[in-house]
């Protein structure tokens, strides 16, 4: 059974602003990385995003839970993407920090 990739990104924005920025950031991902990453499902239920994406022909699904002081991504990667889990984790941490940095 695959082990989920979990990334927690701290922030000091409050829940509402963090959700707003994440929604905006997902639109940027769709346009900026559309050649290699396709968002197949994006459903917000309160402060939780349920998503499914396709990258390199592989489907990954997961959630992002937004709290007052952090956002937590949990995604189950297929075997091909799991091989690059460490690099994916660093990239998500870096992009998430940039997106949720208080400006």
């Amino acid at each position: 059974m695959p082990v989920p990739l979990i990334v927690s990104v701290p922030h000091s924005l409050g829940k509402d602003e963090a959700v707003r920025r994440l929604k905006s950031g997902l639109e940027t991902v769709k346009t900026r990385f559309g050649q290699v990453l396709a968002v197949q499902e994006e459903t917000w239920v309160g402060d939780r995003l349920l998503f499914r994406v396709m990258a390199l022909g592989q489907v990954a699904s997961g959630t992002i839970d937004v709290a007052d002081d952090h956002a937590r991504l949990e995604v189950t990667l297929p075997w091909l993407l799991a091989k690059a889990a460490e690099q994916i984790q660093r990239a998500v941490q870096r992009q998430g920090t940039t997106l949720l940095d208080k400006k």
Side-chain angles (χ1 to χ4, degrees):
M1 180 133 204
V3 176
L5 173 71
I6 298 171
V7 179
S8 183
V9 179
H11 66 80
S12 59
L13 300 171
K15 197 182 292 187
D16 292 340
E17 178 62 12
V19 168
R20 187 193 69 73
R21 288 192 189 188
L22 285 169
K23 286 180 178 179
S24 173
L26 287 171
E27 289 305 313
T28 301
V29 166
K30 289 177 188 177
T31 57
R32 190 171 175 197
F33 299 105
Q35 300 84 357
V36 293
L37 180 75
V39 178
Q40 296 182 322
E41 178 185 343
E42 177 185 340
T43 305
W44 283 93
V45 179
D47 302 322
R48 173 178 257 213
L49 169 65
L50 300 121
F51 66 88
R52 185 174 59 242
V53 296
M54 180 179 281
L56 303 173
Q58 303 289 305
V59 176
S61 60
T63 59
I64 298 176
D65 291 299
V66 183
D68 289 327
D69 62 349
H70 72 281
R72 182 181 184 273
L73 166 92
E74 183 171 329
V75 60
T76 303
L77 299 172
W79 71 272
L80 182 62
L81 296 176
K83 300 259 185 220
E86 195 173 301
Q87 291 88 350
I88 292 170
Q89 184 174 19
R90 283 195 302 265
V92 168
Q93 186 76 48
R94 185 174 50 253
Q95 292 300 318
T97 299
T98 299
L99 186 63
L100 298 177
D101 189 28
K102 194 164 194 166
K103 295 173 187 160

